[in-house]
Amino acid sequence: MTTIAEPRSPYARSPRSGNNWEKWGWMYMRASGVILVVLIFGHLFVNLMVGEGVKAIDFAFVAGKWATPFWQWWDLAMLWLALIHGANGMRTIVNDYSSSVRLGKILRGAIYASAVILIVLGTLVIFTFDPCPSVSPDQLDLLPSFCPPQ
């Protein structure tokens, strides 16, 4: 028994294979946006509302916060999520508005490179920050006042 296939509708979608990167990018934007709201408002609350407020934010305040792993990881999560979220948004804009395939590839490459460089540098700063580095005796007056004498 032979059946004749129905003519295909021009509106029917053909099955796709592989990853749907646009779908994953869309989902990432929603999830990272919600998490970023929590991280940013927590950051603002601690920096602006707790303690003495804005006038307390200085080098010693940041050094004190980054002396604990909790705040290092909090700021790292905020950095990574915000940079990847922003780069993904810029990628979407380039995809929508680039006038040629070559220009789109160049712009997406620049976005990717700048996001990677900023993530690497920001991560290094967060985890290698030392407010009291070793200095020579003639440079001791350059150290912050909270550093122990060397």
Side-chain angles (χ1 to χ4, degrees):
M1 180 173 185
T2 307
T3 58
I4 299 174
E6 296 270 332
R8 191 171 158 170
S9 166
Y11 302 107
R13 291 186 172 184
S14 60
R16 288 183 46 137
S17 61
N19 277 333
N20 185 349
W21 292 107
E22 289 298 321
K23 177 183 85 172
W24 289 109
W26 183 88
M27 290 172 59
Y28 175 80
M29 293 298 275
R30 273 58 189 175
S32 67
V34 170
I35 296 168
L36 277 168
V37 166
V38 172
L39 290 172
I40 290 168
F41 279 112
H43 175 82
L44 290 173
F45 180 77
V46 168
N47 289 345
L48 302 178
M49 306 296 278
V50 176
E52 296 179 35
V54 176
K55 58 185 166 192
I57 298 176
D58 58 2
F59 185 83
F61 180 82
V62 175
K65 269 184 68 178
W66 282 356
T68 61
F70 176 81
W71 288 113
Q72 286 178 327
W73 286 101
W74 183 285
D75 286 350
L76 182 76
M78 200 166 43
L79 171 81
W80 278 61
L81 286 172
L83 280 170
I84 296 170
H85 185 97
N88 192 30
M90 292 300 296
R91 179 196 59 84
T92 303
I93 292 170
V94 166
N95 287 344
D96 289 346
Y97 294 108
S98 62
S99 58
S100 69
V101 174
R102 184 172 181 225
L103 177 64
K105 284 183 180 181
I106 291 169
L107 291 173
R108 281 188 301 275
I111 292 166
Y112 174 77
S114 62
V116 167
I117 290 168
L118 289 173
I119 286 171
V120 168
L121 290 176
T123 302
L124 285 172
V125 166
I126 289 172
F127 286 115
T128 62
F129 180 75
D130 183 12
C132 300
S134 297
V135 295
S136 63
D138 60 328
Q139 295 177 327
L140 288 175
D141 58 329
L142 298 176
L143 289 176
S145 60
F146 57 83
C147 288
Q150 297 180 356

